[in-house]
Amino acid sequence: MTKILLLSDTHGYIDNTILKYAKQADEIWHAGDIGDLKVTDTLKALRPIRAVHGNIDDHIIQKEFPEHHRFLCEEVDVWITHIGGYPPKYNTRTRAEIKANPPKLFICGHSHILKVMHDKNIGVLHMNPGACGKHGFHSVRTMLRFTIDGKKIEDLEVVELGKRGS
């Protein structure tokens, strides 16, 4: 069983509450708009991290993290990208691949809107953890945590980190 902390859109912000949850995870996944490598460096010091760059990330972050990251976590095929769309309206960067070779878990950031939904047509679970940074139009900072146990994605929990401005 692997405990995952999923976050996105930090925009250079990290705090002790995020770090508290990071310490409870086995792996940390970041769905882009990191904003500053101090965020991922701080998280890497605690747990293994898998991350992608987002549209606000500079060339230094883009060198360290890819646009798309596809991997197996236990027996779950995972694809993380920053801008990917939602079922069934995937964007042009992901649409052909997701229909031809769908992952079991498709993760995006970008919208700052927390959303978890199934695409029943192709058997994909989509997750967007919202935004845990302080920049953007979201009002509540959020993350997700869940476990992967073999082929199962379980124990999904929304973590609310308080108002964006606080």
Side-chain angles (χ1 to χ4, degrees):
M1 180 174 64
T2 307
K3 293 185 265 183
I4 308 299
L5 177 65
L6 174 60
L7 51 94
S8 187
D9 295 277
T10 48
H11 291 256
Y13 181 78
I14 189 107
D15 66 15
N16 288 330
T17 306
I18 295 169
L19 297 176
K20 176 185 90 171
Y21 285 99
K23 289 174 189 171
Q24 297 170 12
D26 296 318
E27 292 186 12
I28 302 162
W29 298 352
H30 195 302
D33 277 3
I34 295 161
D36 191 317
L37 284 178
K38 74 175 184 182
V39 170
T40 50
D41 289 346
T42 302
L43 293 170
K44 273 187 210 174
L46 300 173
R47 297 291 184 263
I49 186 168
R50 299 178 193 258
V52 295
H53 70 261
N55 59 297
I56 66 123
D57 293 323
D58 64 18
H59 69 283
I60 297 166
I61 294 171
Q62 290 176 22
K63 271 187 186 177
E64 186 157 342
F65 299 106
E67 179 180 4
H68 302 282
H69 188 28
R70 192 154 181 179
F71 58 93
L72 278 177
C73 180
E74 298 198 20
E75 298 173 57
V76 174
D77 181 6
V78 180
W79 180 2
I80 303 175
T81 192
H82 185 61
I83 302 173
Y86 293 102
K89 297 179 180 181
Y90 302 102
N91 75 6
T92 55
R93 296 178 187 185
T94 59
R95 186 177 306 127
E97 175 69 16
I98 207 164
K99 291 191 187 275
N101 185 18
K104 179 160 185 176
L105 178 57
F106 183 60
I107 295 170
C108 302
H110 186 60
S111 71
H112 293 217
I113 300 168
L114 185 139
K115 193 178 280 194
V116 177
M117 59 193 299
H118 281 278
D119 185 335
K120 293 179 178 121
N121 294 326
I122 57 174
V124 171
L125 176 61
H126 175 274
M127 290 185 187
N128 184 323
C132 64
K134 291 196 169 195
H135 297 291
F137 60 86
H138 59 287
S139 57
V140 177
R141 299 169 41 239
T142 57
M143 303 184 297
L144 292 172
R145 29 186 220 175
F146 56 95
T147 59
I148 293 181
D149 191 1
K151 294 180 182 180
K152 296 185 219 163
I153 302 165
E154 302 178 308
D155 305 322
L156 179 63
E157 177 186 358
V158 172
V159 178
E160 290 191 0
L161 299 166
K163 299 259 183 218
R164 179 175 49 89
S166 57

